[in-house]
Amino acid sequence: MALGRGLVLGADGGNSKTELLVATRDGDVVAYVRGPGSTSHAVGAAGTAAVLGRLVARAGLDEPADVGVFHLCGADVPSDVAELEAAVGRGGWVDRAVVDNDTFALLRVGTDAEDAVAVVCGAGINCVGRAAGGRVVRYPSLGWETGDWGGSEQIGRDALSLAARGEDGRGEPTALAEAIQGHFGSSVGEVGEAVHYRRLPQARLGELAPIVVRLAGEGDAVARGLVERQAEEVALLVRRAMRDLAVETVDAVLGGGMLGAGEGFLYERTLARLADLAPGARPVPSKAPPVLGSGLAALDELAAPPAAHDRLRRAFDGLVPVDAHGD
C-alpha cells in the first residue's frame, strides 16, 4: 500500500523552521521532518507551499493522507488563511486540509483544558484562546500596526536604539553597547548603518534578545526595562483574551523561543506580571514541539480515541526530526 491512506499529517510553519509529521490514525509516528522557515509574510503563500511540499516528499508521502492540519506563521487575518488554504490545497497532500495560525499548535499541545489561552513569544508575539462551548478568540498580531510589541526582533531593535542613545548621552548608560559590539564584531553605529542600508538583515537583531535578558538579570537598568515590558505585554495579552472569552480562570500556555524553556529571568518576570494582571491564569510552560499540537489536532479531526492522542504524545518524547534543510 502506498504511504498516505490511513494517515494524518500535521505541520507547524514558523519564521525560522518548519516541521511536519506523518502519523497513523492510532497515533504511531511514520515520519518527522524539519526544514527552513516558511512564513508567508516573507516568502508568500506559494513559497510556504513549496517548503511544505519538499517536506511532504522527504516524509515519503506518495498518496494523500486522510486529513492534514497546517498551523502556519503568517495565517493572521482571513485573507491570509484563504490564500494559504488555496496554496495547500493545490499540493494535493491530504483529502481534507485545515489551515490556521501557528499559535493554535501551541495551544493544542500545551493543554487539554477547555478554557485556555496561548501566547507565543518567539521572533514575534501572538495570542489565541478557546473556551467551553467552542468559543475562540484570535487577534491579527501584525506588529506595531495592530498595537503589538514584543518578540526577539522587536527587543533587538529597541536594544540597538537604546544602546546608541546610551553611547551618545541621549539615554541612560547601558552595557548593551558593549554586548552588541561583542556579538556582531562592529560598533553600535556600524551595526545601525548595516541594518539601515540592508547589509545586515533586520531579523538578525533578534539574536540580541537572549543577551538583553542576561543583562537584565545582571542588573542593567535599560535591559531590565525591555524585559519588564515584554513580561507585561504577555500578561496583557492573556488578560485581554480572558476578557474576550468571558472566563475567570484559564490555562495560560507560554511558548516560543523566549518563553518555551519555562525558566529564566524573562519567564520569572512574566509569571510575576501574570499574577498582577491576570491572577486567574495558571501558567503552563510548553516544551513540546508545536508540530505535535498540529498532529493532535489532525487526530481530533478524525475523532480519534484518547489512546491515539496519548500514543502520539509518548512517541514524541525525545524524538528528533530528520533535517531536510538541504533537500
Side-chain angles (χ1 to χ4, degrees):
M1 183 181 73
L3 182 58
R5 297 303 176 184
L7 300 176
V8 300
L9 186 154
D12 171 59
N15 284 288
S16 61
K17 67 179 184 302
T18 302
E19 294 189 342
L20 180 140
L21 72 86
V22 180
T24 69
R25 287 170 168 257
D26 295 325
D28 293 317
V29 175
V30 175
Y32 178 28
V33 294
R34 174 185 291 166
S38 60
T39 174
S40 59
H41 292 325
V43 301
T48 299
V51 173
L52 291 169
R54 289 193 292 272
L55 292 179
V56 168
R58 184 67 178 81
L61 193 73
D62 50 13
E63 281 194 19
D66 294 335
V67 64
V69 173
F70 301 83
H71 287 131
L72 305 173
C73 179
D76 295 316
V77 299
S79 59
D80 292 331
V81 175
E83 190 174 11
L84 286 164
E85 282 179 340
V88 168
R90 287 191 290 271
W93 311 309
V94 295
D95 289 340
R96 179 159 53 93
V98 177
V99 176
D100 216 328
N101 186 267
D102 58 328
T103 313
F104 283 102
L106 174 65
L107 181 66
R108 181 63 186 87
V109 77
T111 180
D112 291 325
E114 284 190 308
D115 298 340
V117 171
V119 176
V120 60
C121 187
I125 191 166
N126 204 345
C127 176
V128 300
R130 65 171 184 247
R135 289 172 292 160
V136 173
V137 294
R138 59 185 301 150
Y139 308 101
S141 298
L142 300 177
W144 66 267
E145 303 94 328
T146 50
D148 307 300
W149 187 93
S152 64
E153 291 184 17
Q154 177 74 65
I155 288 175
R157 288 194 297 270
D158 282 14
L160 180 62
S161 177
L162 291 168
R165 294 176 67 85
E167 273 197 331
D168 66 22
R170 288 177 294 167
E172 296 181 47
T174 172
L176 284 169
E178 183 179 353
I180 290 170
Q181 181 163 349
H183 182 75
F184 287 113
S186 302
S187 70
V188 168
E190 290 168 340
V191 173
E193 288 181 15
V195 172
H196 181 80
Y197 291 105
R198 300 183 181 179
R199 297 191 297 270
L200 181 71
Q202 185 171 278
R204 286 205 58 198
L205 295 179
E207 297 170 15
L208 298 175
I211 296 172
V212 172
V213 175
R214 174 177 60 80
L215 291 176
E218 293 172 357
D220 186 276
V222 174
R224 180 161 186 143
L226 290 173
V227 170
E228 293 287 357
R229 183 176 183 185
Q230 182 64 91
E232 180 153 316
E233 287 294 319
V234 173
L236 288 171
L237 286 172
V238 173
R239 185 176 72 176
R240 176 177 64 169
M242 292 175 67
R243 178 201 65 199
D244 293 346
L245 289 168
V247 295
E248 295 184 358
T249 59
V250 294
D251 277 4
V253 184
L254 306 175
M258 297 195 66
L259 289 174
E263 59 185 10
F265 188 69
L266 172 59
Y267 187 79
E268 292 168 1
R269 295 311 304 155
T270 299
L271 297 191
R273 297 308 288 144
L274 279 172
D276 291 338
L277 297 174
R282 299 178 293 268
V284 180
S286 181
K287 299 181 181 181
V291 70
L292 173 56
S294 304
L296 294 171
L299 291 177
D300 293 341
E301 292 292 321
L302 294 179
H309 294 79
D310 292 343
R311 186 175 292 110
L312 186 58
R313 283 188 181 275
R314 289 195 302 271
F316 261 76
D317 187 14
L319 191 64
V320 177
V322 174
D323 195 328
H325 276 74
D327 289 2

